[in-house]
Amino acid sequence: MNKKLKGKRAVITGASRGIGKGIAKLFALNGADIGLIARNSENLKKASDEISEINSSVVFAKNCDITSLDQIQSAFNSIRDKFGNIDILVNSAAILKKASMMEISPSLLRSIIETNFFGAFNCSRMAFDLMKEYGGTIINISSLSGVFGVPKFPDMGAYNISKYALWGLTEILALEWAKFGIRVNAVSPGGVDTDMFKTAFPGAKAPLTAMDVAKVCLFLASDDSSAITGENIIVRGL
């Protein structure tokens, strides 16, 4: 097997389940040393154990609520101590809570924006300090819900807004950090077969698996995409 990420160090947020866990597994299979960040310590331990069994990659897990800047700083300080610089950051952590814009409480709206946007923003800024000397790549897991012109589902306005913001962040960071050799791209999948999707759309069949998304992220994390930055890759499924 051609290990596309051999010698690379990758940090994945939201890595204890769903898309983040799938990305971490595929990256480990491709030779990367993996830093896992997630809020749920029990699920994080399970994911770490599973990924450690895949190959000889180093796996480092850090419990962290990415809505807390103090916890993010602590996590990335630990990552610096473990890996030194890093090559890849995948911002996969996200929450989805449904409510109409007339009914949503300010606290719920704030929690969605804090996780889905500010969490990615703050993790990216911490990762910048570990990438700026040698370059790197940041991948933001957005959503088809955050793509303009695509039909939207009712009661998902807050989630959609957070993903619009994440796409804007991707463009701006790609522009500002290009001079440091840091590429920034987004991946916007349609429905993915995860617990989040099943909770939001009971009984619906998702067109994508976590591994479908992970394969796109592997391309963006590898040297195969060295000329690509500031893009939003839409993955609809069949």
Side-chain angles (χ1 to χ4, degrees):
M1 176 181 179
N2 177 22
K3 295 187 175 182
K4 293 179 179 289
L5 303 181
K6 186 176 177 62
K8 304 283 189 182
R9 286 147 292 196
V11 174
I12 299 105
T13 73
S16 65
R17 61 179 187 160
I19 293 172
K21 184 177 177 181
I23 292 168
K25 284 185 172 182
L26 186 60
F27 281 17
L29 276 170
N30 279 270
D33 294 335
I34 306 293
L36 308 175
I37 290 178
R39 181 167 48 188
N40 186 300
S41 56
E42 182 179 349
N43 289 342
L44 181 61
K45 175 66 166 58
K46 290 178 182 177
S48 178
D49 290 344
E50 288 178 30
I51 294 164
S52 295
E53 294 176 359
I54 290 176
N55 63 12
S56 59
S57 295
V58 174
V59 178
F60 175 73
K62 183 69 175 179
N63 187 237
C64 174
D65 180 348
I66 64 165
T67 65
S68 166
L69 184 56
D70 288 343
Q71 289 191 37
I72 293 173
Q73 289 175 327
S74 176
F76 275 86
N77 285 340
S78 297
I79 289 165
R80 183 194 297 272
D81 292 341
K82 182 69 176 181
F83 292 142
N85 66 296
I86 64 172
D87 305 285
I88 303 157
L89 170 68
V90 182
N91 287 308
S92 182
I95 59 173
L96 194 169
K97 303 290 184 181
K98 297 175 77 172
S100 73
M101 298 310 290
M102 286 296 294
E103 296 173 348
I104 193 168
S105 67
S107 61
L108 178 55
L109 175 60
R110 187 177 297 111
S111 71
I112 292 170
I113 300 296
E114 284 179 349
T115 300
N116 297 1
F117 174 72
F118 280 107
F121 172 64
N122 287 324
C123 286
S124 295
R125 291 214 302 184
M126 294 296 170
F128 172 80
D129 287 334
L130 305 183
M131 291 181 176
K132 62 185 179 182
E133 187 173 355
Y134 301 105
T137 184
I138 296 173
I139 303 166
N140 294 320
I141 304 301
S142 187
S143 170
L144 200 58
S145 296
V147 176
F148 287 106
V150 175
K152 304 298 187 289
F153 293 99
D155 299 333
M156 288 182 57
Y159 180 79
N160 296 349
I161 290 166
S162 73
K163 295 301 187 177
Y164 291 145
L166 190 57
W167 169 221
L169 178 67
T170 300
E171 286 194 310
I172 296 303
L173 294 186
L175 172 67
E176 294 187 358
W177 293 356
K179 62 186 177 183
F180 298 98
I182 298 173
R183 298 187 295 115
V184 187
N185 292 288
V187 178
S188 291
V192 182
D193 187 17
T194 63
D195 290 341
M196 180 186 290
F197 178 87
K198 291 172 183 175
T199 299
F201 303 103
K205 180 175 173 56
L208 297 165
T209 67
M211 197 53 60
D212 291 328
V213 181
K215 289 174 182 177
V216 179
C217 292
L218 175 61
F219 168 70
L220 290 174
S222 74
D223 292 339
D224 291 344
S225 62
S226 60
I228 299 175
T229 191
E231 297 297 334
N232 188 9
I233 310 299
I234 295 173
V235 185
R236 296 177 185 269
L238 299 176

